[in-house]
Amino acid sequence: MKTSIIIPSYNAKEMLIGCVQSIREYTNSPYEIIIVDNGSNDGTVDFCLQEKITFISISDNRGFPAACNLGMKISTGDTLVLLNNDIVVSHNWLSNQLACLNSSEEIGIVGPYTNYASGKQMLPSAYDNIQQFHEKALQYNQPNSQMWQPLERIVGMCFLIKRKLFEKIGYLDEQFSPGHFEDDDYCYRARQAGYKLMIAGDVMIHHYGSVSFHRQDPEKLQGLIDRNYKKFISKWGVDPHQFI
């Protein structure tokens, strides 16, 4: 059983390096890394070449959903993780989530706790730096199925998907590019297809938080969020905020 870890990235090489290093150090299940470079000019491609990482390089920034879809097309894993480039993982991060995902045929998507997220996956951070985070995670990320719980929505920063679900409902909806609400949409489609979503409460990861989007003008960012919010309502006739 192998997991394909798909990481879209745009001009955030240093964050990406930290993300990849943490995956290599703390992942004890079979995996492949696929980086989708959204037209970066910061040496991201050189990093992928040097580290012999499978990657796709496109000429312009097409956003998170399109980049994830490109990575999913070439993935070979039995499960897939859509992972933000500003994530640092730690002890048992994947094995614990896989245990949750594979505990029932009905479970389609699993996510972890983190220090930075909207909704129920937010866990107040009790650390001041990455070293302390790993020390905290060593204690926290001990396998414990009693800490798994169902949710109606998983945040797309670390999105563990069963391949059977992907084969049934397909790719992320690129009308939400460059990002926001594509994860809500995917979760809604998964539940419509009869799958359950779970939080693996025995996993915490570190999230620096929306690095790419924070570079944007706040007014333009809010405009994007508002437009995609309306797109979700237009598509489904429901308010996605009710699932948070």
Side-chain angles (χ1 to χ4, degrees):
M1 299 287 285
K2 181 173 68 175
T3 300
S4 299
I5 303 172
I6 299 162
I7 312 173
S9 194
Y10 175 65
N11 281 340
K13 185 179 76 169
E14 296 308 314
M15 287 283 184
L16 180 63
I17 290 172
C19 179
V20 170
Q21 287 176 340
S22 69
I23 291 169
R24 287 176 165 172
E25 184 170 356
Y26 293 104
T27 308
N28 52 16
S29 305
Y31 69 92
E32 65 176 356
I33 296 176
I34 300 171
I35 292 173
V36 184
D37 176 46
N38 258 328
S40 300
N41 56 15
D42 64 348
T44 293
V45 169
D46 291 336
F47 165 71
C48 293
L49 289 169
Q50 290 166 6
E51 295 297 317
K52 296 181 173 58
I53 298 171
T54 300
F55 73 95
I56 299 171
S57 181
I58 52 182
S59 59
D60 57 337
N61 187 1
R62 300 182 194 173
F64 187 82
C68 285
N69 288 345
L70 287 171
M72 293 163 86
K73 284 178 182 177
I74 68 167
S75 66
T76 61
D78 305 284
T79 54
L80 303 89
V81 175
L82 307 183
L83 192 69
N84 282 19
N85 61 8
D86 60 345
I87 293 290
V88 177
V89 300
S90 196
H91 305 271
N92 299 326
W93 78 280
L94 184 56
S95 57
N96 286 7
Q97 289 188 91
L98 285 171
C100 180
L101 184 72
N102 294 323
S103 65
S104 169
E105 288 291 325
E106 296 180 331
I107 298 173
I109 305 174
V110 169
Y113 278 125
T114 185
N115 60 296
Y116 185 96
S118 58
K120 296 179 181 179
Q121 288 175 259
M122 175 76 172
L123 186 72
S125 60
Y127 53 88
D128 298 317
N129 54 54
I130 291 299
Q131 180 179 347
Q132 289 182 11
F133 158 68
H134 288 302
E135 292 170 355
K136 182 76 174 178
L138 178 60
Q139 299 175 349
Y140 189 90
N141 292 2
Q142 295 301 313
N144 184 356
S145 62
Q146 298 300 311
M147 297 182 70
W148 303 343
Q149 57 180 302
L151 292 182
E152 293 189 308
R153 174 227 190 207
I154 299 292
V155 182
M157 48 143 192
C158 181
F159 218 51
L160 178 62
I161 305 168
K162 194 170 284 180
R163 181 164 286 276
K164 286 183 180 179
L165 169 62
F166 167 58
E167 291 173 346
K168 187 169 185 177
I169 70 173
Y171 296 93
L172 300 183
D173 188 341
E174 294 183 20
Q175 73 165 308
F176 295 102
S177 291
H180 289 294
F181 292 101
E182 74 282 349
D183 46 359
D184 300 80
D185 174 79
Y186 207 80
C187 289
Y188 191 81
R189 288 156 57 194
R191 292 192 291 108
Q192 291 290 96
Y195 283 88
K196 295 180 179 179
L197 318 179
M198 299 287 289
I199 181 169
D202 52 354
V203 178
M204 62 179 291
I205 63 174
H206 178 75
H207 186 202
Y208 284 103
S210 301
V211 171
S212 296
F213 285 110
H214 282 170
R215 298 178 191 145
Q216 297 184 17
D217 175 82
E219 187 173 335
K220 290 183 179 180
L221 175 58
Q222 189 58 51
L224 169 65
I225 293 170
D226 292 343
R227 285 195 300 276
N228 282 359
Y229 171 71
K230 291 174 182 177
K231 286 178 182 178
F232 186 99
I233 293 177
S234 176
K235 181 177 181 178
W236 295 112
V238 295
D239 186 343
H241 290 158
Q242 70 180 286
F243 305 125
I244 299 176

